[in-house]
Amino acid sequence: MKPLYENCIFRSAERARAFDFLGEELVDHSMKWGRGLADTALFKGKLKHLELFVLRYGAEVTVDSDTFDGFALVHMSLRGGTGIEVDGRDLHVAEGRAAVIAPRKRLRLHCLQGAERMVVKVPYELLGPAPERGEGDIPVGSGFMVSRSLTPQWVALSQALLGMLAAPSDAVFSSAWVEHFERSSALFLSSHQPDPSYAWMSAENVREDTTRVASEPLALSHGAQCMERALEYMQSRMFAPISLSDLARAASVSERTLNVLCRRFHGVAPMTLLRNLRLDAVRSRLLLQPDANVTQTALEYGFAHPGRFAACYRERFDELPHQTLSRATR
């Protein structure tokens, strides 16, 4: 993230100034401040088409917005979490996860105190052609999470984009190559939507789409719904102590049933899944913030024993944390 942190375009403790500046730079919106002291900072980098930001408010804040004008936003939580309500769908973007949003009607974001996120502004024109595209059509769904299995790939693409920003001044990239890479990054998002039928929806069709999406969870098996509740509980408490009994209560099943479900859907025991999610989040932070302190980051995620943490990290990623940092700074 160093190329972005080196270009701070706004910083202020005044809430009114933050509202005015962010409205002009990102999207027109309204803001409601909550707990904590405002310390708004916006860092920016720009390629040929894509704009990359790191944004933090300091305090807890709720942001409301309507439709975007010709672009989608990719939100990736770097620190803390963000709750997103877009056109009737609820998304929880835990630390290390990413979501794509392009509201047809209404957007609300709730950022926790101290939260920080990376935002990529992607023009619709980069997201690929569509057959019989009509005026007002939008190339991505109104809101969806980048899947857990694909998040490392998005992190790698983000690192490559940041690397282009960090290139020395005498490095001359081919304009055609830069555009190709930007389009490839955007296409990665549009082509990995949970349901391709969400793509190329006009604003007039959003009501039908929202109704269909809202009914989809009913089609999930009872076991899948219980497992999803357990996962949401894990993601919303990435820094807090969690026991197996806590997870079972969140999923509304017994500990034995949760163990069976977790092994069926994820191939591991519940506490191993929790550990893996936290290891993934640590890795995402190390890749995106090369100046991060490994020990402090591990402690934040509940790894109290450095040696045991390093062993678990190596077992999962086949490298030690400091090796991840070394690769991120190259």
Side-chain angles (χ1 to χ4, degrees):
M1 303 302 292
K2 187 177 179 181
L4 288 180
Y5 287 130
E6 289 178 343
N7 186 34
C8 181
I9 62 172
F10 177 80
R11 185 161 191 175
S12 176
E14 297 181 25
R15 298 180 176 187
R17 287 191 63 205
F19 168 76
D20 292 338
F21 188 88
L22 296 178
E24 293 180 5
E25 188 66 38
L26 285 171
V27 63
D28 191 28
H29 63 282
S30 62
M31 300 173 67
K32 182 179 180 181
W33 296 86
R35 296 171 298 174
L37 297 175
D39 180 21
T40 305
L42 184 67
F43 307 84
K44 180 180 179 180
K46 182 172 174 54
L47 297 172
K48 186 174 182 180
H49 298 288
L50 297 179
E51 294 179 86
L52 293 80
F53 304 88
V54 168
L55 172 62
R56 67 169 180 261
Y57 294 104
E60 180 182 27
V61 66
T62 299
V63 178
D64 287 285
S65 175
D66 296 323
T67 58
F68 298 163
D69 185 15
F71 60 88
L73 293 179
V74 187
H75 285 253
M76 183 167 185
S77 292
L78 302 177
R79 187 184 302 273
T82 301
I84 299 177
E85 179 187 339
V86 54
D87 295 338
R89 304 187 71 196
D90 291 324
L91 306 173
H92 176 73
V93 190
E95 186 166 333
R97 296 295 305 280
V100 181
I101 54 175
R104 275 53 160 190
K105 296 291 185 180
R106 180 176 179 274
L107 169 70
R108 168 167 287 183
L109 293 90
H110 181 77
C111 303
L112 299 177
Q113 183 178 349
E116 185 171 292
R117 65 188 189 274
M118 177 180 175
V119 180
V120 182
K121 195 173 185 178
V122 186
Y124 289 154
E125 65 190 61
L126 286 189
L127 289 162
E132 301 179 0
R133 179 181 177 185
E135 185 176 356
D137 284 343
I138 299 176
V140 288
S142 59
F144 62 92
M145 297 291 297
V146 177
S147 71
R148 293 182 186 87
S149 61
L150 292 174
T151 295
Q153 184 62 39
W154 174 247
V155 170
L157 287 169
S158 300
Q159 280 293 108
L161 293 170
L162 291 169
M164 294 170 70
L165 291 175
S169 57
D170 59 349
V172 180
F173 294 115
S174 161
S175 177
W177 181 84
V178 172
E179 179 157 348
H180 172 76
F181 188 78
E182 288 183 302
R183 288 188 181 278
S184 296
S185 300
L187 184 60
F188 171 82
L189 298 168
S190 61
S191 62
H192 289 97
Q193 299 179 74
D195 183 343
S197 65
Y198 292 165
W200 302 104
M201 298 277 302
S202 65
E204 288 72 18
N205 293 331
V206 69
R207 180 173 298 177
E208 178 183 350
D209 179 58
T210 302
T211 302
R212 182 175 64 82
V213 170
S215 66
E216 282 179 350
L218 298 177
L220 293 175
S221 69
H222 176 68
Q225 292 182 55
C226 294
M227 196 64 246
E228 281 299 309
R229 287 197 293 269
L231 280 170
E232 287 299 320
Y233 187 87
M234 293 180 193
Q235 292 176 336
S236 65
R237 293 163 176 79
M238 292 291 277
F239 307 108
I242 297 178
S243 67
L244 181 60
S245 60
D246 292 332
L247 293 175
R249 279 194 297 271
S252 301
V253 295
S254 68
E255 294 180 17
R256 180 180 178 183
T257 298
L258 179 62
N259 189 59
V260 171
L261 290 173
C262 198
R263 290 183 181 278
R264 179 192 304 167
F265 287 103
H266 298 281
V268 294
M271 299 308 290
T272 302
L273 177 61
L274 174 62
R275 184 189 68 190
N276 289 344
L277 290 175
R278 290 180 170 180
L279 286 169
D280 292 347
V282 169
R283 183 176 177 80
S284 292
R285 181 181 291 186
L286 297 182
L287 285 170
L288 290 169
Q289 300 184 32
D291 58 345
N293 181 282
V294 172
T295 301
Q296 183 59 40
T297 302
L299 286 172
E300 285 185 38
Y301 283 97
F303 297 101
H305 304 283
R308 192 177 304 167
F309 161 72
C312 291
Y313 191 97
R314 184 170 190 171
E315 179 183 0
R316 183 156 178 78
F317 304 116
D318 199 30
E319 66 179 11
L320 292 169
H322 75 267
Q323 293 173 310
T324 301
L325 280 177
S326 296
R327 289 195 301 106
T329 54
R330 287 174 189 168

